[in-house]
Amino acid sequence: MKRERSKWLALSLGVMLLGAGPVLAEDAAPLMREAPADAEVYFLEPADHAVVPPSFKVVFGLRNMGVAPAGTDRPNTGHHHLLIDSPEGLDFTQPLPATDQVRHFGGGQTEAVIELPPGKHTLQLVMGNFVHIPHATPVVSNTITVTVE
């Protein structure tokens, strides 16, 4: 048991240090976690269709689930990821990549100031578990649209 736990701890730390690097599907399956059936993630700010400056505050809401930093494997918890402009090709059975379109809040943050270029942008939240993998039944927000002036 101790060796198995060490293996997953090493894998978790590797994923965090490498910015959610690749994990083979057969390795990721034991790392997936269930979220509470009634868990809900949503935006407190900005409102859908808001007009915002290039630098603006995003506040994450979460109901019926707790926030825990990446690397902390506690039941019914996770941490936020912000998807910007609907990144393509995301595999919710793997750790989410850390990119300009997939922002990680692995410290357990519940708000952030982000900067986007002028124009229309879509935002969506997804909860990730202790190794940045969305839950077995993904906890995702509605997609909102903002216009950056």
Side-chain angles (χ1 to χ4, degrees):
M1 177 69 178
K2 186 174 182 180
R3 182 176 180 183
E4 190 69 17
R5 183 174 173 201
S6 296
K7 175 184 170 185
W8 295 123
L9 180 60
L11 180 60
S12 300
L13 292 173
V15 167
M16 289 185 326
L17 293 174
L18 294 174
V23 173
L24 299 176
E26 61 270 12
D27 290 335
L31 299 175
M32 292 196 75
R33 299 292 184 261
E34 288 293 336
D38 58 352
E40 185 180 354
V41 64
Y42 52 94
F43 290 95
L44 292 169
E45 286 181 42
D48 192 17
H49 302 294
V51 176
V52 296
S55 179
F56 62 98
K57 186 179 195 179
V58 180
V59 182
F60 318 137
L62 184 63
R63 188 174 293 125
N64 301 320
M65 186 173 180
V67 174
T72 303
D73 188 13
R74 284 195 194 117
N76 302 320
T77 67
H79 63 277
H80 295 89
H81 297 80
L82 177 63
L83 308 182
I84 300 170
D85 295 329
S86 303
E88 293 184 27
L90 290 181
D91 180 353
F92 277 16
T93 66
Q94 298 293 309
L96 295 171
T99 69
D100 287 341
Q101 285 185 281
V102 182
R103 309 263 177 105
H104 287 240
F105 297 95
Q109 303 94 314
T110 58
E111 63 182 53
V113 173
I114 65 168
E115 292 186 31
L116 293 175
K120 284 193 179 223
H121 298 278
T122 62
L123 304 176
Q124 187 175 32
L125 293 167
V126 59
M127 296 301 291
N129 72 10
F130 69 112
V131 290
H132 305 283
I133 300 174
H135 294 80
T137 301
V139 180
V140 297
S141 72
N142 289 331
T143 300
I144 65 168
T145 301
V146 296
T147 301
V148 177
E149 294 186 304

